[in-house]
Amino acid sequence: MKSSKQRMTSLAEDIGIHETPYRAKLHHLFLQIEKEFELLYLENLSLQEKLDGYTNKDSLQSCERSTSTNPSGANPSSTIPQPTAVTGAEEVDTTSGGPVVSGSKSFKSKFTYSGGKVKASHKIKAQTSRIVSSFKAQSVVSSTVMREFCGHKDGVWQVAAKVGQPIIGTASADHTACIWGIESGRCLLQYTGHVGSVNSIKFHQNRDLVLTGSGDGTAHIWQAAVNWDVSKKGHSSEEELDDSDEQVEDRDRVDTLRTPLCEFQGPGGHLSVVVAADWLVNMDQIITGSWDRTAILWDVETREPLQPLMGHDHELTHVSAHPTQRLVVTASRDSTFRLWDFRDPIPGVSVFQGHTESVTSTVLTKDDKVVSGSDDRTVKVWELRNMRSALATIRTDSSVNRLAVSNGGIIAIPHDNRQIRLFDLNGQRVARLPRTSRQGHRRMVSSVAWAEEPLLNCDLFSCGFDRRVFGWSIILPKDN
């Protein structure tokens, strides 16, 4: 379920509900809905902990039986039915907000009664496999929150990492975009040029430029030069004792930028909210996607629209460009995404069908694959040369938001149910990042971004509608 704050902010601000009584009523109704979901989440979490306790107890009992079974004959006690490990990608992972009841059914359906016909050696092998798989699921990956970035006053829509510099960017529903120093965890620059929710953010590959798309119907390019002297200042207790009021005020002051270098709007531009924007590979053109059901290719130098990309039946939800080729994908609420090929003078378009609900995210990888996420709770991996069927389908228990794919082929999937999961491009589950009272998001996770190279021990960044941004240290096994 989408967060109530998300709906309230994007609809009330971007569509234009300004009457105070209506806004107050919406706030009240959404607050009640949010409380109901919070209660449901806590109840599911309690049930999940009980289920995990039973699973651990059964695994221990299986281990004890496997050591006492007589391999030369059928042990009557060994024919007692034992739970078989669930091998499906998400059957093992019945998490908060997920179908705990259906997970229990899957667990129960694995109980079998073999009688005296099953050989003891087969039982030992099955029990050993269960024990190994249960340990393997918990030790595939090491993940720890290394940094937390706090300061936004509303939900954060997207996070982006800058190649070659220890900074990240965030786009927020509070009408601002921020540049953060990873080492200090401080906001180094705040952009306030938009008058609506900032829905997307992308760094220029080589220059200190940032591209943002907004609910005000525009896309902006602005200068993202930061003061590195300020970013390196520490926060030790000894320094704080010696700080004067002026020094503290100077240290905590955030540079603010209000004027863009380029603004993309006007004749031929979008008529509604810009949900996403991205740079094309040569960086002299950008692509924007909007709720007006179109995407537009723009020339950066002239700031003029070059070509509208039409064909979707409903609002666009995401746009992204290929890292090395002139290819663009657009995703829509019409349950499809389209591949636009600008390598030839006459652009070509291909339609990918396979999802049953809104496609929320599409990412082009360097090895010519497309990874798509959807509100139908699936992530699909496609081959650009074969759009008829997906190479792999990952089934989850919650809607998928703006995902990211690492250079090593690991998909990070942010969910509405506050979880972040990692899979490989073959659809095999790698890990689920921890979500406790001290680690993880408290509201839906709206976006994730990989760092091409670890930035101060942070490999992955995530943001959500709890207004929090995290930097994670992800240590993957060597075979991944």
Side-chain angles (χ1 to χ4, degrees), residues 21 37 40 47 64 92 114 121 128 139 167 172-173 184 204 214 228 279 353 363 386 393 416 431 458:
F37 280 115
L40 288 174
L47 291 172
E64 292 173 351
V92 175
S114 57
S121 59
T128 304
S139 60
I167 57 175
S172 173
S184 65
H204 190 282
S214 171
W228 290 107
W279 303 88
Q353 297 176 327
V363 175
N386 178 20
T393 297
D416 272 7
C458 293

Side-chain angles (χ1 to χ4, degrees), residues 67-312:
T67 58
S68 61
T69 301
N70 181 7
S72 61
N75 188 342
S77 63
S78 67
T79 61
I80 298 175
Q82 297 296 320
T84 302
V86 183
T87 57
E90 288 309 316
E91 290 176 334
V92 175
D93 188 15
T94 52
T95 60
S96 60
V100 174
V101 175
S102 64
S104 300
K105 289 181 179 178
S106 298
F107 186 78
K108 291 177 181 178
S109 67
K110 299 300 181 178
F111 278 72
T112 58
Y113 186 78
S114 57
K117 295 182 180 180
V118 180
K119 293 183 179 180
S121 59
H122 291 170
K123 291 198 287 286
I124 294 172
K125 182 177 181 180
Q127 291 165 352
T128 304
S129 177
R130 286 196 295 271
I131 297 167
V132 172
S133 64
S134 65
F135 284 118
K136 184 178 180 181
Q138 299 176 12
S139 60
V140 170
V141 64
S142 172
S143 54
T144 308
V145 172
M146 302 299 293
R147 295 286 189 280
E148 183 174 354
F149 309 87
C150 296
H152 280 296
K153 297 179 181 179
D154 207 334
V156 184
W157 278 115
Q158 190 167 22
V159 60
K162 172 68 172 175
V163 178
Q165 293 186 24
I167 57 175
I168 61 170
T170 53
S172 173
D174 65 8
H175 298 190
T176 70
C178 291
I179 305 299
W180 306 80
I182 297 176
E183 183 176 5
S184 65
R186 294 184 54 203
C187 178
L188 308 179
L189 177 65
Q190 184 182 63
Y191 179 70
T192 61
H194 287 292
V195 295
S197 169
V198 185
N199 301 323
S200 71
I201 184 167
K202 288 284 185 177
F203 284 101
H204 190 282
Q205 187 174 1
N206 304 314
R207 299 172 60 189
D208 293 331
L209 299 176
V210 173
L211 170 66
T212 50
S214 171
D216 60 17
T218 69
H220 290 180
I221 293 177
W222 42 278
Q223 188 77 38
V226 299
N227 187 342
W228 290 107
D229 292 334
V230 173
S231 69
K232 293 178 181 178
K233 289 183 179 180
H235 289 74
S236 69
S237 57
E238 293 181 359
E239 290 178 350
E240 290 179 357
L241 290 174
D242 296 335
D243 280 344
S244 65
D245 292 340
E246 293 182 358
Q247 289 174 324
V248 172
E249 183 179 353
D250 181 68
R251 185 187 65 195
D252 294 337
R253 185 168 54 242
V254 176
D255 291 337
T256 302
L257 178 65
R258 297 180 178 86
T259 306
L261 295 175
C262 302
E263 187 171 3
F264 301 89
Q265 63 173 351
H270 289 297
L271 304 176
S272 187
V273 172
V274 175
V275 292
D278 200 2
W279 303 88
L280 266 67
V281 60
N282 51 13
M283 300 291 162
D284 60 357
Q285 296 174 352
I286 65 167
I287 187 76
T288 57
S290 170
W291 280 6
D292 63 12
R293 305 184 182 185
T294 70
I296 297 178
L297 184 69
W298 301 81
D299 184 273
V300 172
E301 184 176 355
T302 65
R303 310 177 194 181
E304 295 293 328
L306 297 176
Q307 183 175 356
L309 308 181
M310 298 180 290
H312 283 292

Side-chain angles (χ1 to χ4, degrees), residues 53 60 228 295 328:
L60 181 59
W228 290 107
V328 168

Side-chain angles (χ1 to χ4, degrees), residues 25 50 55 81 124 127 193 195 290 324 326 336 409 419 459 473:
K25 187 175 181 179
K50 292 180 180 178
T55 304
I124 294 172
Q127 291 165 352
V195 295
S290 170
T324 61
R326 291 178 56 79
T336 72
Q419 301 288 351
D459 310 272
S473 173

Side-chain angles (χ1 to χ4, degrees), residues 25-66:
K25 187 175 181 179
L26 281 174
H27 276 274
H28 176 69
L29 292 175
F30 281 124
L31 184 60
Q32 287 183 322
I33 294 172
E34 187 173 8
K35 288 180 179 179
E36 290 294 329
F37 280 115
E38 188 71 23
L39 291 175
L40 288 174
Y41 166 73
L42 293 175
E43 183 179 353
N44 279 347
L45 188 61
S46 176
L47 291 172
Q48 178 62 35
E49 290 176 352
K50 292 180 180 178
L51 182 61
D52 290 341
Y54 292 136
T55 304
N56 294 334
K57 182 178 179 180
D58 288 331
S59 297
L60 181 59
Q61 291 175 349
S62 297
C63 181
E64 292 173 351
R65 290 191 183 95
S66 66

